[in-house]
Amino acid sequence: MLMEEKLNYKQIIDAPLAVNRRGDSFEYHHDWAYFSQQGYPPETLTVGIMIDATTPQNGPMRMIPGSHRRDWPLRIEGPPLIEAGAVDDSQGVDILGDAGDVVIFHSKLVHASADNTTDAPRRLMLYSYHPSWHQAEPDQRNRGDRARGQAHEARYQELLRAGYVPRFTAPED
């Protein structure tokens, strides 16, 4: 059953919005550390569809093959990322591909991504599915994030109406 869908968008833009991050990398983690907080089972899978070609320069996902078969120490403070030094990065594989390519991975597979160092977007559409035997309230996982995202989008629309002109473009093909 579809649990969530999200667009993982990597592109540094110059916009007058309050954003707390510099760069768009993401440290080693596995999705079940987040999914389990809402009671989803580890059998949850994610399907990623590459909207743009994914290259070594534009922040590809880096996965640790076979890492879903073991438990990983998570940091105590902050988001549930894998404890620093627990992952041997030399075992990682960058997931590269053309627009339209698909990757499917287990919720306990350890992965990360580097910064997009190009001017072009790197978009990856992610769909996560939980087993049909698991019962969950619809949109349980992302309801709060959706509300915050909608407020952020509303502020951006206000800026556009007030005359702000974005200084970035994304390909339309």
Side-chain angles (χ1 to χ4, degrees):
M1 304 295 294
L2 181 64
M3 177 189 77
E4 72 175 0
E5 76 290 333
K6 61 185 173 186
L7 176 63
N8 181 263
Y9 190 105
K10 287 180 165 262
Q11 182 179 20
I12 302 299
I13 60 173
D14 181 21
L17 297 170
V19 178
N20 295 328
R21 294 180 61 194
R22 295 184 195 265
D24 53 12
S25 65
F26 208 91
E27 296 179 50
Y28 279 112
H29 66 285
H30 58 63
D31 295 341
W32 193 64
Y34 298 91
F35 297 167
S36 67
Q37 294 173 344
Q38 289 87 29
Y40 289 99
E43 295 86 358
T44 300
L45 298 176
T46 296
V47 176
I49 303 170
M50 296 177 195
I51 306 300
D52 305 294
T54 304
T55 69
Q57 295 78 28
N58 69 2
M61 291 180 71
R62 184 167 181 80
M63 297 184 170
I64 306 296
S67 59
H68 64 291
R69 295 187 184 113
R70 64 169 274 203
D71 289 327
W72 290 87
L74 299 176
R75 294 183 188 171
I76 305 294
E77 299 293 322
L81 301 170
I82 304 296
E83 213 171 82
V87 176
D88 178 0
D89 186 61
S90 71
Q91 301 298 306
V93 176
D94 286 342
I95 307 302
L96 308 176
D98 295 323
D101 285 353
V102 173
V103 59
I104 301 172
F105 57 99
H106 191 276
S107 70
K108 291 182 85 176
L109 186 81
V110 173
H111 57 284
S113 66
D115 286 335
N116 179 353
T117 59
T118 74
D119 291 332
R122 194 281 279 149
R123 297 169 292 180
L124 178 67
M125 192 68 208
L126 296 166
Y127 298 92
S128 296
Y129 298 88
H130 65 76
S132 60
W133 51 260
H134 176 73
Q135 297 299 308
E137 179 184 347
D139 200 28
Q140 170 184 327
R141 174 160 151 66
N142 285 315
R143 187 174 296 123
D145 286 340
R146 284 186 199 280
R148 285 185 294 279
Q150 288 166 345
H152 189 79
E153 178 64 20
R155 173 68 180 126
Y156 181 68
Q157 293 300 324
E158 286 175 20
L159 286 167
L160 292 174
R161 285 190 295 278
Y164 169 70
V165 178
R167 289 179 266 177
F168 69 95
T169 59
E172 296 181 13
D173 52 296

